[in-house]
Amino acid sequence: MNFENTLAFAQALDKKDVLRSFRDKFYIPIINGKESIYFTGNSLGLQPKTTQELILNELEDWASFGVEGHHHARNPWIRYHEWFPEYLIEILGAKPQEIVVMNQLTVNLHLLMTTFYRPDKKRFKIICEAKAFPSDQYAIHSQVLLHGLNPAATIVEISPAEGEHTIKHQEIMRAIKDNADELALVLIGGVNYYSGQVFNMRDISKAAHEAGAYCGFDLAHAVGNIPLSLHDWEADFACWCSYKYLNSGPGGVAGIFIHEKHHQNKSLHRLAGWWGHNKTSRFEMGKDFDPIPTAEGWQLSNTPVISMAAHKASLEIFAEAGIKYIFAKGISLSNYLLFIIDEINKAAQEKFIEIITPRGDEEKGCQVSMLVQKNGKAIFNELKRQGVIADWREPNVIRVAPVPLYNSFEDIYRFGEIIRSIAD
Ligand SMILES: Cc1ncc(COP(=O)(O)O)c(C=O)c1O
């Protein structure tokens, strides 16, 4: 599409936007008495207006029923987690039995590595991205130590080439090939949190399996942002959080995917808890663990219903909006933002802002990371003063995520105008 850098053009795009009414379903933070331009849905998604009602329902049922709410609440708590696979199958490209909503992201990373990282003398290496989100790095490092191994000889980090900001796909393929004989696990983000780069998960999964290793993905920045086909890609496992693009609230309940090919494999190790036990005999309180033969068998604890109510409120909006429209709008918003930044650079007659997110539609979602060459922090602070909530990463990167459910093309146009006014 040929974009134009005018308010009228941005408003015309908004008028044609099939998702335009969804913005009203969210609370937009107010700055200086005006709706902010909220570009940090990649960090904490906004609150749906229905969240309070769904949480309140559970609080009321708790007040009315006490423990009986497990069976008699309007949405009985004993089965509360069973709502989620249906909402998530399209978002993840997975079968319902491959999905379970539970715990928090880093906790789940550890649980999944307990199952899928079983190093032995021959296969012990883990491939991951250099500069993965720190929690992933700490989790991997500590798992390696837990197995009595030396992280330096075990963790293979793939970095961008000198002077570049994104990792070349061939480099990932090469690292897998070069380490094939010793490789136990490839564990990589679906979308890199810093650059916004989308990895080719299908090919990575295939290459990891050809090398004889398992393959898992941290989808924190991918879920609800880009199309996923976890089942068809044959990912062994994946995990994500729900508080970014899935708008389920700070520290909201997370989730995992385990490919169905592993569900019946009794030789896989796992840490067990009663909520993963066969539902028909769970309350017999027997001694021996009998795992549910689906992803649910990896659950440990009973369901955090209050947090799940917030998750449900948001996923109802996804179901109503339709993910194909969400993903398509995400790409259009990013492309418009890239165009606006290019226009700013052209007007400044220098590369004042360097885009580090890949430009191809297959390689990005709705996050654009920009390296500001001069006065980055001052520009970021001024953006904030003028009502733009974006994200700053040292040394000089501003991450901007125009989120399809509540951001508009006008938000992007106005963002460009503010940058221009600061740069002039
Ligand atoms: C890629 C990635 N991994 C891990 C985490 C940590 O998540 P949590 O604190 O929910 O465990 C985050 C949080 O933003 C993240 O973006």
PDB file of all heavy atoms in Angstrom, residues 42-43 103-109 129 132-137 189-193 218-221 240-244 251-252 254 393 399, ligand 1:
ATOM      1  N   ASN A  42       3.410  -4.685  24.300  1.00  0.00           N
ATOM      2  CA  ASN A  42       4.381  -5.796  24.279  1.00  0.00           C
ATOM      3  C   ASN A  42       5.003  -6.007  25.655  1.00  0.00           C
ATOM      4  O   ASN A  42       5.806  -6.906  25.857  1.00  0.00           O
ATOM      5  CB  ASN A  42       5.495  -5.526  23.250  1.00  0.00           C
ATOM      6  CG  ASN A  42       6.222  -4.231  23.520  1.00  0.00           C
ATOM      7  OD1 ASN A  42       5.730  -3.367  24.249  1.00  0.00           O
ATOM      8  ND2 ASN A  42       7.394  -4.063  22.925  1.00  0.00           N
ATOM      9  N   SER A  43       4.636  -5.144  26.589  1.00  0.00           N
ATOM     10  CA  SER A  43       5.162  -5.245  27.948  1.00  0.00           C
ATOM     11  C   SER A  43       4.009  -5.582  28.904  1.00  0.00           C
ATOM     12  O   SER A  43       4.025  -6.603  29.583  1.00  0.00           O
ATOM     13  CB  SER A  43       5.809  -3.908  28.305  1.00  0.00           C
ATOM     14  OG  SER A  43       6.396  -3.986  29.552  1.00  0.00           O
ATOM     15  N   ASN A 103       0.487 -21.499  35.996  1.00  0.00           N
ATOM     16  CA  ASN A 103       1.731 -20.910  36.540  1.00  0.00           C
ATOM     17  C   ASN A 103       2.118 -19.581  35.876  1.00  0.00           C
ATOM     18  O   ASN A 103       1.280 -18.849  35.359  1.00  0.00           O
ATOM     19  CB  ASN A 103       2.901 -21.891  36.403  1.00  0.00           C
ATOM     20  CG  ASN A 103       2.609 -23.235  37.017  1.00  0.00           C
ATOM     21  OD1 ASN A 103       1.916 -23.304  38.012  1.00  0.00           O
ATOM     22  ND2 ASN A 103       3.111 -24.289  36.420  1.00  0.00           N
ATOM     23  N   GLN A 104       3.424 -19.356  35.896  1.00  0.00           N
ATOM     24  CA  GLN A 104       4.032 -18.148  35.330  1.00  0.00           C
ATOM     25  C   GLN A 104       5.070 -18.584  34.301  1.00  0.00           C
ATOM     26  O   GLN A 104       5.507 -19.735  34.314  1.00  0.00           O
ATOM     27  CB  GLN A 104       4.735 -17.364  36.437  1.00  0.00           C
ATOM     28  CG  GLN A 104       3.853 -17.053  37.609  1.00  0.00           C
ATOM     29  CD  GLN A 104       2.959 -15.874  37.323  1.00  0.00           C
ATOM     30  OE1 GLN A 104       3.436 -14.780  37.177  1.00  0.00           O
ATOM     31  NE2 GLN A 104       1.687 -16.102  37.252  1.00  0.00           N
ATOM     32  N   LEU A 105       5.496 -17.655  33.482  1.00  0.00           N
ATOM     33  CA  LEU A 105       6.359 -18.026  32.361  1.00  0.00           C
ATOM     34  C   LEU A 105       7.677 -18.679  32.799  1.00  0.00           C
ATOM     35  O   LEU A 105       8.033 -19.752  32.321  1.00  0.00           O
ATOM     36  CB  LEU A 105       6.611 -16.787  31.486  1.00  0.00           C
ATOM     37  CG  LEU A 105       7.619 -16.939  30.363  1.00  0.00           C
ATOM     38  CD1 LEU A 105       7.339 -18.137  29.486  1.00  0.00           C
ATOM     39  CD2 LEU A 105       7.638 -15.688  29.501  1.00  0.00           C
ATOM     40  N   THR A 106       8.414 -18.031  33.679  1.00  0.00           N
ATOM     41  CA  THR A 106       9.739 -18.585  34.005  1.00  0.00           C
ATOM     42  C   THR A 106       9.602 -19.916  34.743  1.00  0.00           C
ATOM     43  O   THR A 106      10.397 -20.841  34.530  1.00  0.00           O
ATOM     44  CB  THR A 106      10.577 -17.578  34.825  1.00  0.00           C
ATOM     45  OG1 THR A 106      10.546 -16.316  34.154  1.00  0.00           O
ATOM     46  CG2 THR A 106      12.013 -18.025  34.964  1.00  0.00           C
ATOM     47  N   VAL A 107       8.576 -20.019  35.579  1.00  0.00           N
ATOM     48  CA  VAL A 107       8.311 -21.294  36.257  1.00  0.00           C
ATOM     49  C   VAL A 107       8.078 -22.375  35.204  1.00  0.00           C
ATOM     50  O   VAL A 107       8.627 -23.481  35.277  1.00  0.00           O
ATOM     51  CB  VAL A 107       7.071 -21.164  37.178  1.00  0.00           C
ATOM     52  CG1 VAL A 107       6.654 -22.517  37.713  1.00  0.00           C
ATOM     53  CG2 VAL A 107       7.354 -20.194  38.311  1.00  0.00           C
ATOM     54  N   ASN A 108       7.274 -22.039  34.198  1.00  0.00           N
ATOM     55  CA  ASN A 108       6.978 -23.031  33.155  1.00  0.00           C
ATOM     56  C   ASN A 108       8.217 -23.382  32.334  1.00  0.00           C
ATOM     57  O   ASN A 108       8.395 -24.526  31.924  1.00  0.00           O
ATOM     58  CB  ASN A 108       5.854 -22.521  32.252  1.00  0.00           C
ATOM     59  CG  ASN A 108       4.503 -22.588  32.957  1.00  0.00           C
ATOM     60  OD1 ASN A 108       4.327 -23.342  33.912  1.00  0.00           O
ATOM     61  ND2 ASN A 108       3.556 -21.788  32.492  1.00  0.00           N
ATOM     62  N   LEU A 109       9.077 -22.387  32.086  1.00  0.00           N
ATOM     63  CA  LEU A 109      10.326 -22.686  31.374  1.00  0.00           C
ATOM     64  C   LEU A 109      11.105 -23.764  32.129  1.00  0.00           C
ATOM     65  O   LEU A 109      11.608 -24.723  31.544  1.00  0.00           O
ATOM     66  CB  LEU A 109      11.196 -21.422  31.297  1.00  0.00           C
ATOM     67  CG  LEU A 109      11.043 -20.510  30.084  1.00  0.00           C
ATOM     68  CD1 LEU A 109      11.833 -19.230  30.301  1.00  0.00           C
ATOM     69  CD2 LEU A 109      11.520 -21.201  28.815  1.00  0.00           C
ATOM     70  N   GLU A 129      19.264 -17.949  21.775  1.00  0.00           N
ATOM     71  CA  GLU A 129      19.689 -16.683  21.190  1.00  0.00           C
ATOM     72  C   GLU A 129      20.523 -15.912  22.226  1.00  0.00           C
ATOM     73  O   GLU A 129      20.199 -15.918  23.425  1.00  0.00           O
ATOM     74  CB  GLU A 129      18.476 -15.846  20.728  1.00  0.00           C
ATOM     75  CG  GLU A 129      17.497 -15.794  21.731  1.00  0.00           C
ATOM     76  CD  GLU A 129      16.081 -15.410  21.556  1.00  0.00           C
ATOM     77  OE1 GLU A 129      15.783 -14.374  20.987  1.00  0.00           O
ATOM     78  OE2 GLU A 129      15.278 -16.160  22.120  1.00  0.00           O
ATOM     79  N   ALA A 132      18.911 -13.236  24.805  1.00  0.00           N
ATOM     80  CA  ALA A 132      17.518 -13.624  25.065  1.00  0.00           C
ATOM     81  C   ALA A 132      17.085 -12.816  26.290  1.00  0.00           C
ATOM     82  O   ALA A 132      17.922 -12.257  27.012  1.00  0.00           O
ATOM     83  CB  ALA A 132      17.424 -15.113  25.351  1.00  0.00           C
ATOM     84  N   PHE A 133      15.811 -12.745  26.557  1.00  0.00           N
ATOM     85  CA  PHE A 133      15.337 -12.057  27.754  1.00  0.00           C
ATOM     86  C   PHE A 133      16.082 -12.637  28.970  1.00  0.00           C
ATOM     87  O   PHE A 133      16.250 -13.847  29.067  1.00  0.00           O
ATOM     88  CB  PHE A 133      13.823 -12.269  27.891  1.00  0.00           C
ATOM     89  CG  PHE A 133      13.201 -11.377  28.910  1.00  0.00           C
ATOM     90  CD1 PHE A 133      12.802 -10.094  28.584  1.00  0.00           C
ATOM     91  CD2 PHE A 133      13.015 -11.822  30.210  1.00  0.00           C
ATOM     92  CE1 PHE A 133      12.231  -9.267  29.529  1.00  0.00           C
ATOM     93  CE2 PHE A 133      12.445 -10.999  31.166  1.00  0.00           C
ATOM     94  CZ  PHE A 133      12.049  -9.721  30.825  1.00  0.00           C
ATOM     95  N   PRO A 134      16.545 -11.791  29.890  1.00  0.00           N
ATOM     96  CA  PRO A 134      17.406 -12.284  30.974  1.00  0.00           C
ATOM     97  C   PRO A 134      16.832 -13.474  31.739  1.00  0.00           C
ATOM     98  O   PRO A 134      17.569 -14.386  32.102  1.00  0.00           O
ATOM     99  CB  PRO A 134      17.555 -11.070  31.894  1.00  0.00           C
ATOM    100  CG  PRO A 134      17.306  -9.898  31.017  1.00  0.00           C
ATOM    101  CD  PRO A 134      16.380 -10.346  29.928  1.00  0.00           C
ATOM    102  N   SER A 135      15.522 -13.487  31.974  1.00  0.00           N
ATOM    103  CA  SER A 135      14.959 -14.594  32.753  1.00  0.00           C
ATOM    104  C   SER A 135      15.207 -15.931  32.046  1.00  0.00           C
ATOM    105  O   SER A 135      15.494 -16.941  32.696  1.00  0.00           O
ATOM    106  CB  SER A 135      13.464 -14.377  32.967  1.00  0.00           C
ATOM    107  OG  SER A 135      13.040 -15.072  34.105  1.00  0.00           O
ATOM    108  N   ASP A 136      15.131 -15.927  30.730  1.00  0.00           N
ATOM    109  CA  ASP A 136      15.405 -17.161  29.974  1.00  0.00           C
ATOM    110  C   ASP A 136      16.872 -17.557  30.135  1.00  0.00           C
ATOM    111  O   ASP A 136      17.194 -18.733  30.296  1.00  0.00           O
ATOM    112  CB  ASP A 136      15.099 -16.960  28.477  1.00  0.00           C
ATOM    113  CG  ASP A 136      13.643 -16.623  28.232  1.00  0.00           C
ATOM    114  OD1 ASP A 136      13.101 -15.798  28.976  1.00  0.00           O
ATOM    115  OD2 ASP A 136      13.046 -17.184  27.309  1.00  0.00           O
ATOM    116  N   GLN A 137      17.750 -16.553  30.088  1.00  0.00           N
ATOM    117  CA  GLN A 137      19.176 -16.851  30.251  1.00  0.00           C
ATOM    118  C   GLN A 137      19.446 -17.436  31.639  1.00  0.00           C
ATOM    119  O   GLN A 137      20.186 -18.405  31.783  1.00  0.00           O
ATOM    120  CB  GLN A 137      20.010 -15.585  30.064  1.00  0.00           C
ATOM    121  CG  GLN A 137      19.915 -15.010  28.662  1.00  0.00           C
ATOM    122  CD  GLN A 137      20.816 -13.801  28.493  1.00  0.00           C
ATOM    123  OE1 GLN A 137      21.995 -13.843  28.831  1.00  0.00           O
ATOM    124  NE2 GLN A 137      20.274 -12.715  27.992  1.00  0.00           N
ATOM    125  N   GLY A 189      13.320 -17.834  21.509  1.00  0.00           N
ATOM    126  CA  GLY A 189      12.088 -17.042  21.554  1.00  0.00           C
ATOM    127  C   GLY A 189      11.425 -17.059  20.181  1.00  0.00           C
ATOM    128  O   GLY A 189      12.109 -17.116  19.161  1.00  0.00           O
ATOM    129  N   GLY A 190      10.102 -17.008  20.142  1.00  0.00           N
ATOM    130  CA  GLY A 190       9.432 -16.913  18.847  1.00  0.00           C
ATOM    131  C   GLY A 190       9.675 -15.545  18.230  1.00  0.00           C
ATOM    132  O   GLY A 190       9.866 -15.394  17.022  1.00  0.00           O
ATOM    133  N   VAL A 191       9.681 -14.519  19.085  1.00  0.00           N
ATOM    134  CA  VAL A 191       9.967 -13.140  18.673  1.00  0.00           C
ATOM    135  C   VAL A 191      10.966 -12.595  19.694  1.00  0.00           C
ATOM    136  O   VAL A 191      10.725 -12.679  20.902  1.00  0.00           O
ATOM    137  CB  VAL A 191       8.691 -12.269  18.705  1.00  0.00           C
ATOM    138  CG1 VAL A 191       9.005 -10.816  18.375  1.00  0.00           C
ATOM    139  CG2 VAL A 191       7.626 -12.804  17.732  1.00  0.00           C
ATOM    140  N   ASN A 192      12.067 -12.062  19.220  1.00  0.00           N
ATOM    141  CA  ASN A 192      13.061 -11.523  20.149  1.00  0.00           C
ATOM    142  C   ASN A 192      12.523 -10.253  20.813  1.00  0.00           C
ATOM    143  O   ASN A 192      12.028  -9.356  20.130  1.00  0.00           O
ATOM    144  CB  ASN A 192      14.368 -11.236  19.409  1.00  0.00           C
ATOM    145  CG  ASN A 192      15.443 -10.698  20.342  1.00  0.00           C
ATOM    146  OD1 ASN A 192      15.550  -9.490  20.543  1.00  0.00           O
ATOM    147  ND2 ASN A 192      16.199 -11.592  20.935  1.00  0.00           N
ATOM    148  N   TYR A 193      12.635 -10.194  22.133  1.00  0.00           N
ATOM    149  CA  TYR A 193      11.995  -9.094  22.875  1.00  0.00           C
ATOM    150  C   TYR A 193      12.618  -7.733  22.547  1.00  0.00           C
ATOM    151  O   TYR A 193      11.953  -6.701  22.647  1.00  0.00           O
ATOM    152  CB  TYR A 193      12.093  -9.342  24.398  1.00  0.00           C
ATOM    153  CG  TYR A 193      13.408  -8.916  25.015  1.00  0.00           C
ATOM    154  CD1 TYR A 193      13.531  -7.685  25.661  1.00  0.00           C
ATOM    155  CD2 TYR A 193      14.540  -9.709  24.913  1.00  0.00           C
ATOM    156  CE1 TYR A 193      14.736  -7.278  26.203  1.00  0.00           C
ATOM    157  CE2 TYR A 193      15.743  -9.311  25.445  1.00  0.00           C
ATOM    158  CZ  TYR A 193      15.837  -8.093  26.096  1.00  0.00           C
ATOM    159  OH  TYR A 193      17.026  -7.674  26.614  1.00  0.00           O
ATOM    160  N   ASP A 218       9.953 -19.966  23.578  1.00  0.00           N
ATOM    161  CA  ASP A 218       9.379 -19.019  24.523  1.00  0.00           C
ATOM    162  C   ASP A 218       8.591 -18.005  23.685  1.00  0.00           C
ATOM    163  O   ASP A 218       9.182 -17.229  22.931  1.00  0.00           O
ATOM    164  CB  ASP A 218      10.499 -18.322  25.314  1.00  0.00           C
ATOM    165  CG  ASP A 218       9.936 -17.262  26.252  1.00  0.00           C
ATOM    166  OD1 ASP A 218       8.779 -16.821  26.051  1.00  0.00           O
ATOM    167  OD2 ASP A 218      10.655 -16.850  27.178  1.00  0.00           O
ATOM    168  N   LEU A 219       7.284 -18.025  23.845  1.00  0.00           N
ATOM    169  CA  LEU A 219       6.423 -17.227  22.968  1.00  0.00           C
ATOM    170  C   LEU A 219       5.918 -15.949  23.630  1.00  0.00           C
ATOM    171  O   LEU A 219       4.891 -15.396  23.220  1.00  0.00           O
ATOM    172  CB  LEU A 219       5.237 -18.084  22.510  1.00  0.00           C
ATOM    173  CG  LEU A 219       5.631 -19.365  21.769  1.00  0.00           C
ATOM    174  CD1 LEU A 219       4.397 -20.205  21.462  1.00  0.00           C
ATOM    175  CD2 LEU A 219       6.384 -19.040  20.483  1.00  0.00           C
ATOM    176  N   ALA A 220       6.641 -15.471  24.652  1.00  0.00           N
ATOM    177  CA  ALA A 220       6.188 -14.280  25.390  1.00  0.00           C
ATOM    178  C   ALA A 220       5.817 -13.135  24.437  1.00  0.00           C
ATOM    179  O   ALA A 220       4.803 -12.462  24.623  1.00  0.00           O
ATOM    180  CB  ALA A 220       7.267 -13.825  26.361  1.00  0.00           C
ATOM    181  N   HIS A 221       6.658 -12.925  23.414  1.00  0.00           N
ATOM    182  CA  HIS A 221       6.439 -11.788  22.512  1.00  0.00           C
ATOM    183  C   HIS A 221       5.771 -12.207  21.204  1.00  0.00           C
ATOM    184  O   HIS A 221       5.621 -11.389  20.291  1.00  0.00           O
ATOM    185  CB  HIS A 221       7.771 -11.072  22.242  1.00  0.00           C
ATOM    186  CG  HIS A 221       8.266 -10.373  23.458  1.00  0.00           C
ATOM    187  ND1 HIS A 221       8.032  -9.044  23.689  1.00  0.00           N
ATOM    188  CD2 HIS A 221       8.907 -10.840  24.560  1.00  0.00           C
ATOM    189  CE1 HIS A 221       8.531  -8.710  24.865  1.00  0.00           C
ATOM    190  NE2 HIS A 221       9.060  -9.792  25.418  1.00  0.00           N
ATOM    191  N   TRP A 240       4.471 -19.308  27.338  1.00  0.00           N
ATOM    192  CA  TRP A 240       4.224 -17.897  27.074  1.00  0.00           C
ATOM    193  C   TRP A 240       3.673 -17.253  28.332  1.00  0.00           C
ATOM    194  O   TRP A 240       3.313 -17.951  29.294  1.00  0.00           O
ATOM    195  CB  TRP A 240       3.215 -17.728  25.919  1.00  0.00           C
ATOM    196  CG  TRP A 240       1.921 -18.453  26.156  1.00  0.00           C
ATOM    197  CD1 TRP A 240       0.797 -17.970  26.758  1.00  0.00           C
ATOM    198  CD2 TRP A 240       1.624 -19.817  25.817  1.00  0.00           C
ATOM    199  NE1 TRP A 240      -0.178 -18.933  26.812  1.00  0.00           N
ATOM    200  CE2 TRP A 240       0.307 -20.090  26.247  1.00  0.00           C
ATOM    201  CE3 TRP A 240       2.350 -20.842  25.193  1.00  0.00           C
ATOM    202  CZ2 TRP A 240      -0.298 -21.333  26.084  1.00  0.00           C
ATOM    203  CZ3 TRP A 240       1.735 -22.081  25.028  1.00  0.00           C
ATOM    204  CH2 TRP A 240       0.432 -22.311  25.475  1.00  0.00           C
ATOM    205  N   CYS A 241       3.593 -15.933  28.329  1.00  0.00           N
ATOM    206  CA  CYS A 241       2.908 -15.240  29.410  1.00  0.00           C
ATOM    207  C   CYS A 241       1.643 -14.629  28.813  1.00  0.00           C
ATOM    208  O   CYS A 241       1.510 -14.537  27.593  1.00  0.00           O
ATOM    209  CB  CYS A 241       3.801 -14.163  30.019  1.00  0.00           C
ATOM    210  SG  CYS A 241       4.438 -12.999  28.813  1.00  0.00           S
ATOM    211  N   SER A 242       0.743 -14.179  29.667  1.00  0.00           N
ATOM    212  CA  SER A 242      -0.544 -13.687  29.138  1.00  0.00           C
ATOM    213  C   SER A 242      -0.726 -12.189  29.346  1.00  0.00           C
ATOM    214  O   SER A 242      -1.769 -11.653  29.020  1.00  0.00           O
ATOM    215  CB  SER A 242      -1.691 -14.435  29.824  1.00  0.00           C
ATOM    216  OG  SER A 242      -1.741 -14.067  31.186  1.00  0.00           O
ATOM    217  N   TYR A 243       0.318 -11.547  29.926  1.00  0.00           N
ATOM    218  CA  TYR A 243       0.103 -10.139  30.302  1.00  0.00           C
ATOM    219  C   TYR A 243       0.538  -9.149  29.221  1.00  0.00           C
ATOM    220  O   TYR A 243       0.320  -7.958  29.373  1.00  0.00           O
ATOM    221  CB  TYR A 243       0.799  -9.793  31.631  1.00  0.00           C
ATOM    222  CG  TYR A 243       2.215 -10.317  31.771  1.00  0.00           C
ATOM    223  CD1 TYR A 243       3.279  -9.694  31.146  1.00  0.00           C
ATOM    224  CD2 TYR A 243       2.474 -11.450  32.531  1.00  0.00           C
ATOM    225  CE1 TYR A 243       4.569 -10.182  31.279  1.00  0.00           C
ATOM    226  CE2 TYR A 243       3.758 -11.939  32.680  1.00  0.00           C
ATOM    227  CZ  TYR A 243       4.804 -11.308  32.059  1.00  0.00           C
ATOM    228  OH  TYR A 243       6.066 -11.799  32.176  1.00  0.00           O
ATOM    229  N   LYS A 244       1.143  -9.652  28.127  1.00  0.00           N
ATOM    230  CA  LYS A 244       1.565  -8.723  27.063  1.00  0.00           C
ATOM    231  C   LYS A 244       0.412  -8.583  26.070  1.00  0.00           C
ATOM    232  O   LYS A 244      -0.585  -7.946  26.361  1.00  0.00           O
ATOM    233  CB  LYS A 244       2.833  -9.244  26.399  1.00  0.00           C
ATOM    234  CG  LYS A 244       4.011  -9.361  27.360  1.00  0.00           C
ATOM    235  CD  LYS A 244       5.233  -9.883  26.647  1.00  0.00           C
ATOM    236  CE  LYS A 244       6.352 -10.223  27.611  1.00  0.00           C
ATOM    237  NZ  LYS A 244       6.891  -9.056  28.318  1.00  0.00           N
ATOM    238  N   GLY A 251       1.404  -9.984  35.826  1.00  0.00           N
ATOM    239  CA  GLY A 251       1.711 -11.289  36.433  1.00  0.00           C
ATOM    240  C   GLY A 251       0.644 -12.340  36.177  1.00  0.00           C
ATOM    241  O   GLY A 251       0.579 -13.344  36.881  1.00  0.00           O
ATOM    242  N   GLY A 252      -0.190 -12.120  35.163  1.00  0.00           N
ATOM    243  CA  GLY A 252      -1.321 -13.028  34.878  1.00  0.00           C
ATOM    244  C   GLY A 252      -0.867 -14.461  34.620  1.00  0.00           C
ATOM    245  O   GLY A 252       0.298 -14.728  34.323  1.00  0.00           O
ATOM    246  N   ALA A 254       0.037 -17.940  33.074  1.00  0.00           N
ATOM    247  CA  ALA A 254       0.719 -18.226  31.813  1.00  0.00           C
ATOM    248  C   ALA A 254       0.201 -19.545  31.222  1.00  0.00           C
ATOM    249  O   ALA A 254      -0.837 -20.044  31.649  1.00  0.00           O
ATOM    250  CB  ALA A 254       2.225 -18.286  32.068  1.00  0.00           C
ATOM    251  N   ARG A 393      15.101   0.852  26.189  1.00  0.00           N
ATOM    252  CA  ARG A 393      16.089  -0.186  26.511  1.00  0.00           C
ATOM    253  C   ARG A 393      17.478   0.374  26.284  1.00  0.00           C
ATOM    254  O   ARG A 393      17.753   0.947  25.211  1.00  0.00           O
ATOM    255  CB  ARG A 393      15.934  -1.419  25.617  1.00  0.00           C
ATOM    256  CG  ARG A 393      14.645  -2.152  25.804  1.00  0.00           C
ATOM    257  CD  ARG A 393      14.627  -3.006  27.055  1.00  0.00           C
ATOM    258  NE  ARG A 393      13.290  -2.967  27.639  1.00  0.00           N
ATOM    259  CZ  ARG A 393      12.787  -3.867  28.464  1.00  0.00           C
ATOM    260  NH1 ARG A 393      13.525  -4.880  28.868  1.00  0.00           N
ATOM    261  NH2 ARG A 393      11.573  -3.736  28.950  1.00  0.00           N
ATOM    262  N   ARG A 399      11.404   0.942  22.039  1.00  0.00           N
ATOM    263  CA  ARG A 399      10.539  -0.096  21.458  1.00  0.00           C
ATOM    264  C   ARG A 399       9.108   0.433  21.441  1.00  0.00           C
ATOM    265  O   ARG A 399       8.614   0.947  22.436  1.00  0.00           O
ATOM    266  CB  ARG A 399      10.587  -1.376  22.294  1.00  0.00           C
ATOM    267  CG  ARG A 399      11.957  -2.025  22.350  1.00  0.00           C
ATOM    268  CD  ARG A 399      11.905  -3.373  23.073  1.00  0.00           C
ATOM    269  NE  ARG A 399      11.206  -3.300  24.342  1.00  0.00           N
ATOM    270  CZ  ARG A 399      10.707  -4.353  24.980  1.00  0.00           C
ATOM    271  NH1 ARG A 399      10.817  -5.563  24.465  1.00  0.00           N
ATOM    272  NH2 ARG A 399      10.091  -4.205  26.134  1.00  0.00           N
TER     273      ARG A 399
HETATM  274  C1  LIG B   1      10.909 -13.473  26.644  1.00  0.00           C
HETATM  275  C2  LIG B   1      10.567 -13.406  28.106  1.00  0.00           C
HETATM  276  N1  LIG B   1      10.930 -14.432  28.903  1.00  0.00           N
HETATM  277  C3  LIG B   1      10.663 -14.410  30.230  1.00  0.00           C
HETATM  278  C4  LIG B   1      10.025 -13.340  30.828  1.00  0.00           C
HETATM  279  C5  LIG B   1       9.763 -13.356  32.306  1.00  0.00           C
HETATM  280  O1  LIG B   1       8.439 -13.620  32.555  1.00  0.00           O
HETATM  281  P1  LIG B   1       7.821 -13.937  34.010  1.00  0.00           P
HETATM  282  O2  LIG B   1       8.256 -12.849  34.927  1.00  0.00           O
HETATM  283  O3  LIG B   1       6.351 -13.887  33.757  1.00  0.00           O
HETATM  284  O4  LIG B   1       8.322 -15.278  34.420  1.00  0.00           O
HETATM  285  C6  LIG B   1       9.628 -12.259  30.027  1.00  0.00           C
HETATM  286  C7  LIG B   1       8.953 -11.090  30.625  1.00  0.00           C
HETATM  287  O5  LIG B   1       8.722 -10.083  30.045  1.00  0.00           O
HETATM  288  C8  LIG B   1       9.918 -12.296  28.644  1.00  0.00           C
HETATM  289  O6  LIG B   1       9.587 -11.285  27.839  1.00  0.00           O
END
